[in-house]
Amino acid sequence: MAKIESAARDNGESGDLNTRKLAEEALLKAGALQKAILSSANFSSIATDAKGVIQIFNVGAERMLGYTAAEVINKITPADISDPEEVIARAAALSLELGTPITPGFEALVFKASRGIEDIYELTYIRKDGSRLPAVVSVTALRDAQESIIGYLLIGTDNTARKLVEAEQKKLDRRLREANEEIQRFAHVVSHDLRSPLVNIMGFASELDFWRKQVFERLAALRAQIGGAKPDDNDDALRTDVEEALSFIKSSVAKMDRLIGALLKLSREGQRQFQPQFIDMSQLLRSTVDALAYQAQAVNAKISIGELPPITSDRLALEQVFSNLMDNAVKYLRPDVPGSIDVRALEAGGAISYEIHDNGRGIDNKDRERIFDLFRRAGVQDRPGDGMGLAHARTLVRRLGGSIAVESELGSGTIFKVTLPKRWLQTESETMP
Amino acid sequence: MTYPVVIAMIEDDEGHARLIEKNLRRAGVHNEIVILNDGANALSYLFGPDGSGAVNKGRPLLVLLDLNLPDMSGIDILKRIKENEHLRVSPVVVLTTTDDKSEIQRCYDLGCNVYVTKPVDYEKFANAIQQFGMFMYVMQIPEAI
């Protein structure tokens, strides 16, 4: 190409036979390569002179852009067949990045390459018929024997398919974000609107309770005035009935308030922005276990933490997830066997699976999906809990791009597997407005 | 002449209004309590027919404000009170079910004087209102300018 031709001419002038021979060999080799590149219909190869005027326009370029070589060679620069807005934006971005003013035009397309910086970027070509061709372009400067730039080579590949996927992904991300926001708003409104009547139910039930005392005091006083209660008056039974009714109302209201509070907490958690950071997981799990030391000792449980690979993720979210899983593991051990909980990890590809094995009571097959639902619990209801923990854990793990799975055998133990990307990076669907 | 302090209670829930009133009375608060059951009523009481607020000039007013009103947000009422030349000195006590940190912050930002959350637990609710009632004894409440 330009470089080779130029080198051959230089050597011809010097008259050095040996050098000329080497140059010819190089030319022959390069010629084969050049021909292969130039005849490829899947790459648009556009070579220009130093000023940007097109000198070579291969069959790929003709096919992809709709111009014939004759229409563009010695006539225009690649910038003339590129999206002008992109060229302007690229010039502005490069000016900022490199701290030097760059003209929106051909210079913007090749500036990095002219400084010897490898440059591959996305560029939209405008075809002869005016349609757009999203391409990925690789730019190389062509130099002569003295290393001065004599032109540029722009090799482009069709990027349409990827662009389509990206656009589809963006649309999905947006929809997901909107759905998320709607759920958050819904949870927020519902929890406040539900709480308001509860204040009244609880308030007036308590007021009734207060008046009940006065009513029975007055009744007793009246009975005393008329000479004491008759055997079938049954004031005590009546008092017990009223007390029982009020206490059911109050305990149910209190429960509903807890559930609403849990719902609200979940919706707030969903709004928190995650901060990816490097986390020593062995250390995180050890401090989780430290916090559970009392409970573990009370049920005579032995907990061992293996060597766990570190991860880049959100610390607070992982603390909540693992503290919940470890808490469950300790909470649902069997009283008749010494408890044993074991945490290990498996790394494969870009993901890490952290596994919590216990020899506890296990989870029935039919409950293995249910336990992740909000307010749902499984097995004998003899432990405190509000059915929030696993729902919350799954929400967090999913937001972190991972998954949570359970394997279990009723009466012999459970394995919870939390699989997370080794490096979690904020994606658009995670960015709240 | 000086007027006694009037409590303007902006509260759409009748039950809440009764419970608040009961507990203020229990704490020994005997002041007049005007219950305003929506935003429109509240605005017309506070700012008068001309909307200037001059109607309350010279009257010591204490505003109890619920944030969740059917026709407007209590936040807007708070904002209007604190921007009004006559009423901006009147203490506003936000009394609401919302315990959202950002909401609380926002109210103080806009000049609310006290923010109290209504708990569902009635013992706590009664306590909060009664303590607030007792606090009113020692509070100096300025007259609207």
Side-chain angles (χ1 to χ4, degrees):
Chain A
M1 249 171 291
K3 179 172 181 171
I4 307 296
E5 284 163 12
S6 159
R9 199 165 44 242
D10 286 352
N11 286 324
E13 279 162 14
S14 79
D16 185 325
L17 280 172
N18 203 25
T19 318
R20 183 188 290 176
K21 194 160 184 266
L22 280 174
E24 276 169 0
E25 267 172 33
L27 182 63
L28 218 65
K29 272 191 207 157
L33 186 66
Q34 182 183 343
K35 211 172 147 197
I37 292 171
L38 284 180
S39 58
S40 164
N42 294 318
F43 294 93
S44 91
S45 300
I46 304 175
T48 71
D49 64 14
K51 290 205 174 98
V53 180
I54 296 174
Q55 301 299 311
I56 294 175
F57 199 77
N58 82 333
V59 285
E62 288 183 323
R63 188 187 64 85
M64 286 160 71
L65 299 173
Y67 291 97
T68 62
E71 286 172 312
V72 294
I73 286 175
N74 280 326
K75 292 192 176 122
I76 56 170
T77 80
D80 299 323
I81 50 169
S82 303
D83 178 350
E85 277 175 31
E86 278 182 32
V87 177
I88 292 168
R90 186 168 165 80
L94 284 176
S95 304
L96 203 68
E97 184 190 333
L98 304 168
T100 173
I102 290 162
T103 337
F106 182 70
E107 188 186 14
L109 299 184
V110 299
F111 191 85
K112 274 194 165 175
S114 75
R115 298 297 156 103
I117 306 167
E118 186 194 356
D119 202 12
I120 298 173
Y121 54 90
E122 291 184 1
L123 178 71
T124 307
Y125 281 126
I126 309 291
R127 293 195 187 91
K128 190 181 176 186
D129 65 6
S131 61
R132 300 164 64 81
L133 174 79
V136 171
V137 177
S138 155
V139 185
T140 324
L142 305 171
R143 293 166 192 276
D144 65 14
Q146 279 74 47
E147 286 296 308
S148 14
I149 292 175
I150 53 166
Y152 296 93
L153 175 64
L154 288 83
I155 297 179
T157 52
D158 189 338
N159 203 26
T160 311
R162 214 181 101 201
K163 278 283 169 195
L164 281 177
V165 171
E166 267 177 22
E168 194 56 33
Q169 180 71 40
K170 256 191 194 153
K171 215 156 76 189
L172 283 176
D173 279 352
R174 205 189 57 236
R175 264 193 224 146
L176 186 65
R177 194 168 62 236
E178 283 167 1
N180 257 332
E181 283 162 16
E182 197 161 324
I183 290 167
Q184 311 282 355
R185 270 199 304 277
F186 176 75
H188 186 83
V189 167
V190 160
S191 47
H192 288 304
D193 288 0
L194 288 181
R195 210 163 226 171
S196 211
L198 282 190
V199 170
N200 280 335
I201 300 171
M202 195 60 138
F204 286 103
S206 304
E207 290 288 337
L208 274 178
D209 207 11
F210 176 74
W211 299 324
R212 168 187 62 84
K213 281 177 201 131
Q214 293 190 347
V215 167
F216 282 101
E217 270 164 27
R218 284 188 207 172
L219 184 63
L222 284 173
R223 294 231 192 268
Q225 271 182 22
I226 59 163
K230 279 178 242 132
D232 58 344
D233 279 342
N234 258 338
D235 288 352
D236 281 342
L238 187 61
R239 192 201 312 266
T240 318
D241 281 350
V242 174
E243 262 169 32
E244 188 191 59
L246 284 172
S247 103
F248 270 117
I249 294 174
K250 284 200 212 169
S251 66
S252 299
V253 171
K255 182 172 181 194
M256 187 143 172
D257 184 40
R258 281 200 305 278
L259 295 180
I260 292 170
L263 210 61
L264 194 60
K265 190 176 154 230
L266 208 64
S267 93
R268 274 183 204 159
E269 265 307 316
Q271 283 167 337
R272 194 174 72 80
Q273 284 272 359
F274 285 167
Q275 299 292 337
Q277 56 174 300
F278 185 80
I279 306 166
D280 176 346
M281 287 300 284
S282 302
Q283 195 254 322
L284 187 142
L285 261 297
R286 273 196 297 273
S287 50
T288 305
V289 171
D290 287 346
L292 281 170
Y294 174 77
Q295 289 95 312
Q297 204 190 357
V299 295
N300 189 25
K302 197 178 146 296
I303 304 179
S304 67
I305 311 283
E307 261 318 300
L308 305 176
I311 196 166
T312 301
S313 200
D314 181 82
R315 177 180 289 278
L316 186 60
L318 291 195
E319 275 170 3
Q320 289 173 332
V321 169
F322 286 99
S323 122
N324 174 263
L325 294 177
M326 293 301 283
D327 187 54
N328 278 351
V330 172
K331 199 154 84 174
Y332 299 110
L333 286 169
R334 282 171 292 163
D336 51 331
V337 288
S340 158
I341 298 163
D342 177 20
V343 184
R344 41 191 117 138
L346 271 172
E347 196 174 337
I352 307 173
S353 244
Y354 297 97
E355 301 183 357
I356 299 171
H357 297 243
D358 70 54
N359 66 343
R361 55 164 79 161
I363 300 161
D364 196 328
N365 208 4
K366 67 174 168 50
D367 289 327
R368 267 167 228 163
E369 193 43 44
R370 246 181 101 254
I371 49 169
F372 293 106
D373 291 342
L374 196 55
F375 303 142
R376 295 287 169 269
R377 306 178 69 206
V380 192
Q381 301 290 303
D382 58 349
R383 298 283 190 274
D386 50 16
M388 281 274 301
L390 287 175
H392 192 197
R394 184 164 71 174
T395 307
L396 291 172
V397 169
R398 280 184 175 168
R399 276 189 65 195
L400 286 169
S403 62
I404 185 166
V406 62
E407 285 169 25
S408 185
E409 197 165 324
L410 200 56
S412 72
T414 302
I415 306 169
F416 273 97
K417 285 187 187 172
V418 178
T419 308
L420 292 161
K422 194 170 166 56
R423 289 183 56 83
W424 179 74
L425 296 167
Q426 193 112 347
T427 63
E428 204 185 328
S429 58
E430 274 301 327
T431 327
M432 298 292 171
Chain B
M1 102 169 242
T2 57
Y3 294 95
V5 176
V6 171
I7 300 171
M9 178 168 19
I10 304 167
E11 171 63 77
D12 68 308
D13 188 309
E14 248 180 284
H16 287 207
R18 277 298 283 147
L19 292 173
I20 293 165
E21 192 180 352
K22 250 179 213 305
N23 283 286
L24 284 176
R25 297 293 181 227
R26 274 179 197 146
V29 173
H30 297 296
N31 303 60
E32 184 191 347
I33 298 176
V34 179
I35 297 172
L36 304 158
N37 63 358
D38 62 27
N41 281 333
L43 291 183
S44 85
Y45 179 85
L46 291 171
F47 299 102
D50 63 350
S52 71
V55 68
N56 281 307
K57 198 170 169 174
R59 296 177 67 203
L61 209 59
L62 176 85
V63 181
L64 289 186
L65 177 63
D66 183 14
L67 292 184
N68 304 306
L69 298 170
D71 54 345
M72 68 182 74
S73 158
I75 298 245
D76 292 334
I77 298 179
L78 170 64
K79 224 164 134 185
R80 285 199 53 182
I81 293 172
K82 289 303 172 186
E83 282 168 4
N84 183 272
E85 52 170 332
H86 303 289
L87 292 175
R88 64 188 153 83
V89 292
S90 302
V92 176
V93 177
V94 172
L95 191 57
T96 190
T97 42
T98 312
D99 59 353
D100 211 80
K101 272 194 195 126
S102 60
E103 199 91 317
I104 296 171
Q105 183 91 44
R106 182 126 180 267
C107 284
Y108 279 114
D109 230 25
L110 290 171
C112 111
N113 302 79
V114 180
Y115 190 110
V116 182
T117 309
K118 291 177 197 164
V120 170
D121 182 335
Y122 189 62
E123 209 175 308
K124 285 186 192 151
F125 180 94
N127 248 324
I129 306 295
Q130 287 181 30
Q131 279 179 15
F132 171 70
M134 287 188 269
F135 180 54
M136 266 190 66
Y137 279 126
V138 291
M139 226 165 121
Q140 291 292 336
I141 297 177
E143 293 163 2
I145 304 165

